[in-house]
Amino acid sequence: VVTADHLFKMDVKITKPIPAGANFEMEFGGARISLGNLGGSTPNGGWITITYDLADFPALPATIPASGEWGNNLGTGTVDLTGLYIDNIRFQAK
């Protein structure tokens, strides 16, 4: 995936409050980007799509590798993750 040409999208549903100090990160092949708090993302408890332009994250390599460390991380804070649902993690061409 070429970062300049793609968006990162994921669908989220939050059914329990996320504390203001809890910030999430996504890791792509060893490089992390901040996703922010996500707490106000689904105020009515429904599913929404969150979109990030990969070109906005200079820490990412020009091409995201197909291997290495991948995942969603809690960068700061503490949170009860039983109310956080994530689905359809994907890249989309601009």
Side-chain angles (χ1 to χ4, degrees):
V1 171
V2 176
T3 55
D5 300 333
H6 286 82
L7 303 171
F8 166 66
K9 292 186 169 193
M10 66 181 189
D11 299 333
V12 297
K13 179 179 178 178
I14 298 171
T15 61
K16 293 183 180 179
I18 294 179
N23 291 297
F24 295 87
E25 299 173 333
M26 192 68 193
E27 186 168 3
F28 303 112
R32 292 184 182 191
I33 63 170
S34 175
L35 302 180
N37 178 268
L38 304 180
S41 298
T42 57
N44 297 322
W47 286 95
I48 65 161
T49 300
I50 299 177
T51 302
Y52 301 89
D53 188 338
L54 293 175
D56 291 341
F57 299 95
L60 290 176
T63 302
I64 295 177
S67 63
E69 297 291 323
W70 285 69
N72 192 305
N73 305 294
L74 182 60
T76 60
T78 57
V79 63
D80 176 2
L81 295 176
T82 61
L84 173 64
Y85 301 88
I86 299 174
D87 196 13
N88 299 317
I89 296 173
R90 62 207 181 267
F91 296 113
Q92 178 180 319
K94 292 182 188 178

